[in-house]
Amino acid sequence: MNDTNDIFNAEFSRQYDASGERLKDISNNLHSLISLLLGNLASDARVLCVGIGTGTEIVRLAHQHPGWRFTGVDPSPNMLAVCAEKLEREGLSDRCTLIEGHVIDVPEREKYDAALCLLVAHFIQHPQRGGIYQHIADRLKPAGQLIAAEIAGDMVDPGFDSQLKNWVALQQAYTQRERDISEVKAELSRRLLLLPPRQTEALLLDAGFASAQSFFQSLLIHGWQAIKP
Ligand SMILES: C[S@@+](CC[C@H](N)C(=O)[O-])C[C@H]1O[C@@H](n2cnc3c(N)ncnc32)[C@H](O)[C@@H]1O
């Protein structure tokens, strides 16, 4: 598994939430739909959050569902430190367990009703994503669901550059800083592995999910709901 702790270092972790402002319209929409998709879970559901980062998804869902319990796992101690402070501030710590590591470090004995893996998989520079979807499926109850969202696209498709142009326009609208498309493309290739959406769907089915339903796309961010048989 490639290491991303150099990206999610102490300085970046502290300003992660503020830097996410540029994606706030996309993010609000994504999180509202996630609340809708998870709305039928039991009142005492257990939710696994893979790549929890600074805890955005836990905070939103925990306030909506006072009986849910959460496990967040993330390899970055710096992101987890910010997350832990936030959970404490929000009065949510007693319902949350944080684990420094990867999904395979989450004990398999107690199964989860649902898992979230938001804006994580594109950092795994492996065409099979290092088995992350399989490791998540192994930790879900029967009929448990995974909500996955990631930056996706077919970078060799001739149409990709026009999608990227819109993506860059969004960033520029917030930063007021001109970006060259080819520079952004090189940066994406260096740090991320974007897969065509259909490839992610195939990986989810290969991991044993019975279905992988696309429920979201906003610019380059795609989201799926995958249900375990
Ligand atoms: C862009 S942040 C997303 C955080 C949060 N899920 C959100 O939506 O705001 C990506 C997070 O994934 C974590 N990460 C990177 N590789 C990972 C892996 N293989 N397994 C789990 N988490 C990983 C990083 O440390 C980072 O905290």
Side-chain angles (χ1 to χ4, degrees):
M1 196 80 75
N2 53 297
D3 191 343
T4 53
N5 285 359
D6 61 325
I7 306 175
F8 298 99
N9 57 26
E11 190 190 347
F12 185 70
S13 300
R14 290 277 152 207
Q15 46 110 33
Y16 176 81
D17 287 350
S19 75
E21 270 296 291
R22 71 193 191 288
L23 293 177
K24 78 170 187 310
D25 294 333
I26 296 179
S27 167
N28 280 336
N29 186 1
L30 175 65
H31 284 276
S32 304
L33 290 175
I34 291 173
S35 295
L36 188 78
L37 299 182
L38 295 182
N40 288 336
L41 293 188
S43 58
D44 60 350
R46 298 185 74 236
V47 180
L48 173 63
C49 299
V50 178
I52 183 56
T54 58
T56 309
E57 47 269 47
I58 291 185
V59 171
R60 288 181 81 123
L61 291 170
H63 283 308
Q64 291 163 357
H65 300 277
W68 289 9
R69 283 174 301 132
F70 298 84
T71 297
V73 60
D74 199 292
S76 162
N78 296 301
M79 291 292 268
L80 284 180
V82 177
C83 180
E85 279 171 25
K86 201 192 281 182
L87 296 179
E88 189 63 38
R89 225 174 24 244
E90 299 277 338
L92 301 170
S93 303
D94 56 341
R95 288 197 277 142
C96 303
T97 304
L98 297 180
I99 298 173
E100 185 181 322
H102 298 91
V103 196
I104 40 166
D105 301 307
V106 177
E108 264 189 73
R109 51 180 191 278
E110 277 188 84
K111 305 287 190 201
Y112 292 85
D113 299 275
L116 303 179
C117 186
L118 304 183
L119 306 181
V120 176
H122 48 249
F123 286 106
I124 306 173
Q125 293 180 329
H126 185 285
Q128 268 81 43
R129 298 297 194 210
I132 191 169
Y133 301 127
Q134 180 67 61
H135 296 141
I136 293 173
D138 292 343
R139 285 156 181 79
L140 285 173
K141 294 177 184 170
Q145 61 173 303
L146 164 65
I147 306 287
E150 64 195 50
I151 300 177
D154 187 350
M155 289 183 82
V156 297
D157 186 280
F160 182 78
D161 283 9
S162 48
Q163 289 183 44
L164 193 57
K165 223 165 126 188
N166 293 334
W167 178 255
V168 170
L170 176 79
Q171 321 281 330
Q172 282 178 183
Y174 282 95
T175 59
Q176 309 297 329
R177 192 175 130 229
E178 290 269 326
R179 294 295 311 270
D180 179 68
I181 300 283
S182 53
E183 205 182 278
V184 175
K185 198 170 182 179
E187 209 172 274
L188 283 180
S189 312
R190 202 169 53 248
R191 291 307 333 217
L192 311 181
L193 174 65
L194 272 55
L195 295 181
R198 247 181 276 146
Q199 207 167 321
T200 296
E201 277 155 36
L203 288 179
L204 288 164
L205 297 177
D206 285 350
F209 288 99
S211 58
Q213 180 71 42
S214 165
F215 73 92
F216 182 85
Q217 183 189 352
S218 194
L219 299 177
L220 294 182
I221 300 183
H222 293 246
W224 296 269
Q225 179 188 37
I227 313 276
K228 193 168 158 166

